[in-house]
Amino acid sequence: MKIQSASVIVTSPGRNFVTLKIVTDEGLYGIGDATLNGRELAVAAYLNEHVIPCLIGRDPHQIEDIWQYLYKGAYWRRGPVTMSAIAAVDTALWDIKAKAANMPLYQLLGGKSRTGVMVYAHANGRDVPETVDRVGAYLEKGYKAVRAQSGIPGVAGVYGVAKGKGAFYEPATRGLPEESVWSTEAYLDFAPQLFEAVRVAHGMNFHLLHDVHHRLTPIEAARLGKSLEPYRLFWMEDPVPVENQESFRLIRQHTTTPLAVGEVLNSIWDCKDLIEEQLIDYIRTSVVHAGGITHLRRIADLASLYHVRTGCHGATDLSPVCMGAALHFDLWVPNFGVQEHMEHNPETDAVFPHAYSFKDGYMHPGETPGHGVDIDEELAAKYPYNPAYLPVARLADGTLWSW
Ligand SMILES: O=C(O)[C@@H](O)[C@@H](O)[C@H](O)[C@H](O)CO
Ligand SMILES: [Mg+2]
């Protein structure tokens, strides 16, 4: 079997997605997600100009050799654009291999390690009562794990809160980046009230998660973690910018609130110290941004040596192709923790028909050979690319801050 052609499909059914399709000379094809929110065309160009020419004529079964070729052959290793491009190739090749073997991808990885994949939903509200209600709505739907994010009195445009009541949160906005103002003081005073209200209303018998989204200093994160201990969070995510892995030592010294990090990381090297020093409890690297199934398995295997479990990123800016592949990975991986699941809009689900399903707080990737997700190219063409950017955050005095 040989790779005969490959193409990059950019579509925007409500938000931008980039998909790589690899076609073999035996008629089999595979697809991979290459979406990097706010920098989509950088990955599309990387694939079209620098990757696809190197793929034509290769044996698609040689997944590992192609991965090494694209990683080491680039010379300029790592980074979100490079690793998202490699991820798309890798995911498409695993899709092809599983189709050729006529089995769902999780079987090819080693079979299922659990009956279903526990997922967490995103509950958000403009204030505490609305957020508490949204948490309840997801518990009603059967979710065992729910993330809570709320508006903060006196702080406009907080991360994770949809603009309309009950709407899904979509961070990217059309046109140039929106600017939001952040107040750590207001947030640190407010957060314990939110989680107290959630636990009083819904009890302790479900997993409660929260995303700090890179905004604190280590000592502030330590203070927040301690203040939330009575509410027994499943995890406190991205408490500080992750470039300085050592800063997690200070947080660890002060709090037992579990820590989750990794959605902005794209290689094992970026999280090696966090894992080996057990500075985190969950690693959130994703199929689409961390080099695909091949590399994510390496990260998970390292994590398994240090009691670190997976908690893959799964926001709506990761396409259904990534979600499908992630669910096969999640069903197999021995040190599974939880999978993030934000529902895509109906237009997106129509562009990306898929076999995965949700029931009673768990998801299953389905039994379709491959990763079980396809792309309707004709429908995709009806949604042209529409530039959109993630916001930036500033402090009240104008200091540019982590969004
Ligand atoms: O945990 C999460 O889902 C968030 O951090 C994301 O919403 C993140 O902001 C977006 O994926 C960025 O594109
Ligand atoms: Mg996050």
Side-chain angles (χ1 to χ4, degrees), residues 1-5 25 52-60 62:
M1 190 186 299
K2 295 275 179 255
I3 294 174
Q4 188 173 65
S5 65
D25 60 358
I52 289 175
C54 303
L55 293 178
I56 308 306
R58 287 184 182 277
D59 174 357
Q62 290 186 271

Side-chain angles (χ1 to χ4, degrees), residues 14 16 18-19 21 55 133 143 162 186 221 223 229 241 253 268 274-275 328 353:
N16 296 311
V18 180
T19 306
K21 180 173 185 177
L55 293 178
D133 285 349
Y143 281 88
R223 176 182 150 195
E229 283 174 9
Q253 284 162 12
I268 198 165
L274 287 169
I275 291 171
H328 283 272

Side-chain angles (χ1 to χ4, degrees), residues 8-20 32-38 40-41 43-44 170 174 288 315-323 342-345 347-349 351-352 356 375 380 383-386:
V8 177
I9 303 149
V10 182
T11 183
S12 192
R15 57 150 299 101
N16 296 311
F17 293 109
V18 180
T19 306
L20 172 71
D33 187 13
T35 307
L36 185 64
N37 202 357
E40 293 87 357
L41 296 190
V43 185
E170 168 52 68
R174 305 296 184 194
V288 60
T316 43
D317 47 284
L318 287 64
S319 90
V321 180
C322 178
M323 177 52 73
M342 286 178 75
E343 291 166 81
H344 290 102
N345 65 21
E347 295 79 9
T348 299
D349 285 341
V351 170
F352 296 99
Y356 59 76
I375 185 166
Y383 301 102
Y385 170 71
N386 190 343

Side-chain angles (χ1 to χ4, degrees), residues 37 120 122 147 159 169 171 211 213 237 263 284 313 315 317-318 340 342 390 403:
N37 202 357
Y120 74 88
H122 275 213
R147 185 185 97 162
Y159 160 73
Y169 173 61
D211 192 348
H213 219 262
E237 177 184 341
E263 68 180 54
R284 288 192 30 80
H313 187 201
D317 47 284
L318 287 64
E340 180 176 6
M342 286 178 75
L390 286 170
W403 173 74

Side-chain angles (χ1 to χ4, degrees), residues 255-269:
T255 182
T256 57
T257 295
L259 302 177
V261 163
E263 68 180 54
V264 296
L265 301 180
N266 47 76
S267 87
I268 198 165
W269 305 105

Side-chain angles (χ1 to χ4, degrees), residues 77-355:
R77 297 179 185 188
R78 299 193 287 170
V81 173
T82 299
M83 298 308 283
S84 297
I86 292 175
V89 174
D90 188 76
T91 305
L93 295 180
W94 276 107
D95 192 21
I96 290 169
K97 190 181 273 285
K99 285 176 178 175
N102 195 29
M103 61 174 71
L105 177 54
Y106 75 83
Q107 292 289 18
L108 207 55
L109 297 175
K112 62 174 72 170
S113 304
R114 53 196 57 79
T115 52
V117 175
M118 182 174 76
V119 288
Y120 74 88
H122 275 213
N124 69 80
R126 288 162 292 185
D127 54 28
V128 170
E130 193 172 273
T131 305
V132 169
D133 285 349
R134 296 291 296 156
V135 170
Y138 280 111
L139 294 174
E140 285 290 306
K141 278 187 174 180
Y143 281 88
K144 316 299 183 212
V146 183
R147 185 185 97 162
Q149 308 288 143
S150 173
I152 302 169
V155 182
V158 169
Y159 160 73
V161 179
K163 291 188 171 65
K165 178 174 168 51
F168 285 117
Y169 173 61
E170 168 52 68
T173 51
R174 305 296 184 194
L176 293 178
E178 280 186 356
E179 299 217 349
S180 60
V181 178
W182 174 250
S183 163
T184 292
E185 296 73 17
Y187 171 66
L188 290 177
D189 288 341
F190 171 76
Q193 300 167 38
L194 168 65
F195 294 101
E196 162 94 15
V198 170
R199 285 305 196 193
V200 164
H202 302 302
M204 302 295 278
N205 194 23
F206 72 97
H207 300 305
L208 179 56
L209 300 87
H210 181 59
D211 192 348
V212 184
H213 219 262
H214 322 280
R215 302 190 177 202
L216 302 180
T217 63
I219 199 65
E220 290 166 347
R223 176 182 150 195
L224 177 65
K226 279 182 77 166
S227 73
L228 300 184
E229 283 174 9
Y231 314 114
R232 208 181 66 218
L233 263 59
F234 182 85
W235 80 34
M236 180 169 81
E237 177 184 341
D238 282 331
V240 296
V242 69
E243 295 94 313
N244 181 355
Q245 298 181 48
E246 287 177 27
S247 56
F248 285 76
R249 287 194 192 122
L250 190 147
I251 305 169
R252 254 334 200 209
Q253 284 162 12
H254 292 278
T255 182
T256 57
T257 295
L259 302 177
V261 163
E263 68 180 54
V264 296
L265 301 180
N266 47 76
S267 87
I268 198 165
W269 305 105
D270 306 328
C271 50
K272 174 179 167 296
D273 299 343
L274 287 169
I275 291 171
E276 289 181 344
E277 293 190 37
Q278 301 182 47
L279 298 178
I280 58 174
D281 302 277
Y282 298 92
I283 183 66
R284 288 192 30 80
T285 39
S286 69
V287 168
V288 60
H289 297 135
I293 297 280
T294 298
H295 199 56
L296 198 60
R297 292 177 90 180
R298 296 213 152 93
I299 294 171
D301 284 346
L302 173 67
S304 70
L305 302 182
Y306 298 95
H307 306 288
V308 175
R309 286 178 284 179
T310 64
C312 293
H313 187 201
T316 43
D317 47 284
L318 287 64
S319 90
V321 180
C322 178
M323 177 52 73
L327 289 169
H328 283 272
F329 171 84
D330 293 333
L331 202 61
W332 157 78
V333 69
N335 51 320
F336 171 75
V338 71
Q339 169 66 51
E340 180 176 6
H341 174 233
M342 286 178 75
E343 291 166 81
H344 290 102
N345 65 21
E347 295 79 9
T348 299
D349 285 341
V351 170
F352 296 99
H354 50 265

